[in-house]
Amino acid sequence: MNYLSKRRIALGAMFFFMGLCFASWAARIPDIQAKFQLSEGQLGTILLCLPIGSMLGLPIAGWSVHQYGSRIVILLGSFAYAMTLPLIGLATTTWMIVPVLVVFGLLGNIMNISLNTQALGLEDQMGKSILASFHGLWSMAGFTGAGIGAGMIFLNFSPAAHYAVVMGISFVIILFSQKYVINDKRDAGESGGLVLKKPDDLLLRVGLISFLGMMTEGCMFDWSGVYFKKIVLAEPEYVALGYVCFMGAMASGRFITDKATNQFGRIPVLQASGISIFVGLLMSVLVPTLITAALGFLLVGLGVASIVPVAYGIAGRSKLYSPSVALALVSTISFFGFLLGPPLIGFIADLFDLQVSLALISINGLGILLLSSIRKQVFFTQETISTP
């Protein structure tokens, strides 16, 4: 096995560790709610701490990776991220858990930007698209973390003990991977202030595409079960089917995205993704039966799978900004979509119904198709991997 292949395995393990930590936290949210006797509204407020931390982490990530290189940020950030997880379980009051969750969200996004920056450098060295497979490993770690969480709950492990076990696993992965995380080169001509600068035409375009993709993803995360319960009228044992179809398709779709990108190019993959999102949601809305809705959600998962990794792959090759700053800019734009989508669904559902909400979200797919199809020279000037 050559050195680049070893680096790919090591970076993949780092993405897996990140997904494992996040899924482990999410698996014990009901226990955290019970521990602090939180109402749904209070829990929702607590959960806002993660996106707040993530937003705070975006400009810090772009600056720190630019200033010090992604290697040092990854090594320090990964240990800090893993060690923050048990602190969540050890918190004894809401006043203690709030700042810990903010830090957890902040470190998570710093790691997101730095790992993707490192992965883009490896992608250039290998001369082919590989970024989506790393995101696929993050998604697979979500299933693994959920399974470990279920086992820990069955064995009556407290959240703190559960998180300590995951921290130990994380340390092993980090120590195994660290020697393959290299020092990346800085662009000396790019200023490195603690900023999120105005995006150029390229970053604005891929940022908007990511915005629509992340909005769709956020809606599917939060509303799949509700849709199957209230609109599809699924039996209790099938209420989670839509979510499982979406998540399974999104995870597996990321492993075929790289092959599709290498064969057809990034722009055709984005166009196909937009069509898949539109058709899938429209199918689920127009024929809300168990089978058709499940197939529709599967198509949405396949469509969403490629949006972020492909957009990152384009943004990271900006000629105007360093990769870390470019990724931070695109992440900022897209993250607003992830936050805006779920409450927007609820607001529209209150005015009309949930079917109307999803029908409107399906337009995101057409938006992605349109943004990927007009003035395509904006993309081509940045491409290093051939595009038809």
Side-chain angles (χ1 to χ4, degrees), residues 63 273 382:
W63 169 79
S273 297
Q382 308 293 334

Side-chain angles (χ1 to χ4, degrees), residues 305-325:
S306 65
I307 300 297
V308 170
V310 171
Y312 277 16
I314 297 172
R317 292 170 179 83
S318 168
K319 294 180 179 178
L320 188 60
Y321 301 101
S322 66
S324 60
V325 173

Side-chain angles (χ1 to χ4, degrees), residues 89-138:
L90 292 171
T92 55
T93 68
T94 53
W95 291 108
M96 290 177 64
I97 200 171
V98 163
V100 175
L101 287 176
V102 170
V103 171
F104 191 64
L106 183 146
L107 290 170
N109 227 3
I110 289 175
M111 286 296 295
N112 172 47
I113 299 300
S114 55
L115 275 176
N116 277 286
T117 301
Q118 186 86 192
L120 283 170
L122 178 59
E123 188 174 78
D124 284 341
Q125 288 182 296
M126 297 187 73
K128 61 180 181 179
S129 178
I130 59 172
L131 189 60
S133 63
F134 291 132
H135 289 247
L137 285 168
W138 191 96

Side-chain angles (χ1 to χ4, degrees), residues 141-191:
F143 287 106
T144 304
I148 292 174
M152 292 292 184
I153 292 170
F154 177 77
L155 295 173
N156 291 319
F157 275 58
S158 68
H162 172 189
Y163 294 160
V165 171
V166 174
M167 181 181 70
I169 296 171
S170 300
F171 282 175
V172 172
I173 293 173
I174 296 165
L175 291 171
F176 158 77
S177 304
Q178 56 89 23
K179 67 179 178 179
Y180 297 104
V181 180
I182 65 169
N183 285 311
D184 47 5
K185 296 179 181 179
R186 286 185 60 215
D187 179 3
E190 169 69 38
S191 62

Side-chain angles (χ1 to χ4, degrees), residues 201-202 204-213 264-277 303-304 306-308 310-312 314 363-381 383 387-388:
D201 287 345
L202 171 80
L204 183 60
R205 181 74 65 86
V206 294
L208 289 174
I209 289 172
S210 296
F211 175 91
L212 295 175
F264 302 109
R266 291 190 174 96
I267 309 309
V269 168
L270 287 176
Q271 292 168 334
S273 297
I275 293 171
S276 184
I277 290 170
V304 166
S306 65
I307 300 297
V308 170
V310 171
Y312 277 16
I314 297 172
I363 298 174
N364 287 354
L366 292 181
I368 291 168
L369 176 62
L370 179 64
L371 289 168
S372 304
S373 302
I374 59 174
R375 293 181 60 245
K376 288 191 286 187
Q377 65 270 23
V378 172
F379 302 107
F380 297 157
T381 58
E383 286 282 4
T387 303

Side-chain angles (χ1 to χ4, degrees), residues 49-364:
C49 294
L50 259 72
I52 289 171
S54 296
M55 290 301 295
L56 292 174
L58 283 168
I60 297 173
W63 169 79
S64 60
V65 172
H66 175 80
Q67 286 290 105
Y68 304 109
S70 61
R71 173 180 166 80
I72 188 66
V73 176
I74 288 172
L75 294 184
L76 293 177
S78 58
F79 280 110
Y81 189 67
M83 288 188 290
T84 304
L85 190 59
L87 295 180
I88 299 173
L90 292 171
T92 55
T93 68
T94 53
W95 291 108
M96 290 177 64
I97 200 171
V98 163
V100 175
L101 287 176
V102 170
V103 171
F104 191 64
L106 183 146
L107 290 170
N109 227 3
I110 289 175
M111 286 296 295
N112 172 47
I113 299 300
S114 55
L115 275 176
N116 277 286
T117 301
Q118 186 86 192
L120 283 170
L122 178 59
E123 188 174 78
D124 284 341
Q125 288 182 296
M126 297 187 73
K128 61 180 181 179
S129 178
I130 59 172
L131 189 60
S133 63
F134 291 132
H135 289 247
L137 285 168
W138 191 96
S139 299
M140 281 191 63
F143 287 106
T144 304
I148 292 174
M152 292 292 184
I153 292 170
F154 177 77
L155 295 173
N156 291 319
F157 275 58
S158 68
H162 172 189
Y163 294 160
V165 171
V166 174
M167 181 181 70
I169 296 171
S170 300
F171 282 175
V172 172
I173 293 173
I174 296 165
L175 291 171
F176 158 77
S177 304
Q178 56 89 23
K179 67 179 178 179
Y180 297 104
V181 180
I182 65 169
N183 285 311
D184 47 5
K185 296 179 181 179
R186 286 185 60 215
D187 179 3
E190 169 69 38
S191 62
L194 188 64
V195 293
L196 283 181
K197 303 175 182 179
K198 180 181 177 181
D200 61 1
D201 287 345
L202 171 80
L203 297 186
L204 183 60
R205 181 74 65 86
V206 294
L208 289 174
I209 289 172
S210 296
F211 175 91
L212 295 175
M214 289 287 281
M215 176 185 284
T216 305
E217 185 176 335
C219 292
M220 299 302 288
F221 277 147
D222 288 5
W223 289 96
S224 294
V226 179
Y227 188 78
F228 265 63
K229 182 178 181 179
K230 294 189 174 181
I231 304 299
V232 177
L233 302 177
E235 296 295 328
E237 61 268 28
Y238 294 117
V239 165
L241 178 62
Y243 180 79
V244 170
C245 286
F246 168 75
M247 279 297 296
M250 187 175 73
S252 58
R254 284 179 168 162
F255 289 102
I256 63 174
T257 291
D258 286 327
K259 185 174 182 179
T261 300
N262 290 321
Q263 183 169 351
F264 302 109
R266 291 190 174 96
I267 309 309
V269 168
L270 287 176
Q271 292 168 334
S273 297
I275 293 171
S276 184
I277 290 170
F278 176 70
V279 171
L281 281 173
L282 209 60
M283 179 190 303
S284 304
V285 168
L286 295 178
V287 191
T289 64
L290 188 69
I291 300 299
T292 53
L295 288 174
F297 279 32
L298 187 147
L299 285 175
V300 177
L302 287 175
V304 166
S306 65
I307 300 297
V308 170
V310 171
Y312 277 16
I314 297 172
R317 292 170 179 83
S318 168
K319 294 180 179 178
L320 188 60
Y321 301 101
S322 66
S324 60
V325 173
L327 291 178
L329 282 164
V330 171
S331 293
T332 301
I333 297 170
S334 62
F335 196 72
F336 280 113
F338 193 78
L339 292 178
L340 177 64
L344 182 64
I345 283 276
F347 177 71
I348 297 172
D350 279 343
L351 291 176
F352 302 99
D353 61 35
L354 205 49
Q355 279 178 283
V356 173
S357 295
L358 285 194
L360 291 175
I361 295 299
S362 72
I363 298 174
N364 287 354

